[in-house]
Every structure is written in C-alpha cells, then in structure tokens.
C-alpha cells in the first residue's frame, strides 16, 4: 500500500523574479488585522510602523495603506507603561 504524498507546490519562482509586493502587502495587512482582532494592538502598531518605514519612498500606495492602519489602531493601543525609576521606591 502506498501512501499519498502531499501535492508539490506549483513551480517555484526563480530567484530572478521579483516578488509581488502588492500581494505581500495584502498578506501582511491581513495578518496585522488578525493581531488586532486577537487583542495584540501594540504588536500590530509596531509592525505597521516597520512596514511604513520599509515602504516609505519606494511604494507610496503601500506606505499610505500601512500608515492609515497604524493611525487607526494607535488610538486603541494601550498607553505604554513608564519605566521604573530606581530613585523612587516601588508602589505598594
């Protein structure tokens, strides 16, 4: 008895073919939306900010998309906790 092997992916793109940045942007945006839905707003904002930085100056359409997501979600992000000041005793 022979077990079925998983189907091989369609032809793998050669290294000389540029990735489809629009498709990758869609995947990243959907992933970030899932993070927000899971309550990980801070993580989604951080990653959206990195996406903004990566696309600024090279892909204005994608930059605008991630910038809009960042600003929409940042209003819902929790306030950052200030670092502990070692000069003052911890709160009791």
């Amino acid at each position: 008895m022979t077990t079925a092997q998983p189907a091989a992916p369609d032809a793998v793109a050669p290294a000389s073919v540029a990735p489809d940045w629009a498709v990758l942007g869609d995947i990243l945006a959907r992933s970030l939306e899932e993070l927000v839905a899971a309550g990980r707003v801070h993580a989604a904002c951080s990653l959206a900010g990195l996406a903004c930085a990566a696309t600024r100056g090279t892909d204005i359409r994608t930059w605008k998309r991630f910038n809009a997501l960042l600003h929409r979600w940042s209003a819902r992000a929790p306030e950052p906790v200030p670092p502990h000041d070692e000069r003052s005793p911890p709160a009791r």
Side-chain angles (χ1 to χ4, degrees), residues 1-2 7 26 30 33 37 52-53 56 61 66 84-86 88 90:
M1 181 194 269
T2 306
D26 290 342
R30 288 173 38 204
E33 288 167 354
C52 283
R56 185 183 321 131
R61 184 172 183 223
F66 287 110
H84 175 68
D85 184 356
E86 292 186 20
S88 60

Side-chain angles (χ1 to χ4, degrees), residues 24-41:
L24 292 174
D26 290 342
I27 292 168
L28 178 57
R30 288 173 38 204
S31 300
L32 296 177
E33 288 167 354
E34 289 295 323
L35 276 176
V36 170
R40 304 282 315 275
V41 178

Side-chain angles (χ1 to χ4, degrees), residues 2 7 17 19 28 30 37 39 41 45 50 53-54 63 66 70 74 78-80 82 91:
T2 306
V17 175
L28 178 57
R30 288 173 38 204
V41 178
C45 286
L50 290 172
W63 175 84
F66 287 110
L70 173 62
S74 64
E79 289 293 322

Side-chain angles (χ1 to χ4, degrees), residues 52-92:
C52 283
T55 57
R56 185 183 321 131
T58 58
D59 184 349
I60 193 67
R61 184 172 183 223
T62 303
W63 175 84
K64 285 181 179 181
R65 181 179 189 182
F66 287 110
N67 188 54
L69 292 173
L70 173 62
H71 285 278
R72 181 184 325 148
W73 295 331
S74 64
R76 299 188 335 202
E79 289 293 322
V81 177
H84 175 68
D85 184 356
E86 292 186 20
R87 293 175 292 172
S88 60
R92 294 185 195 239

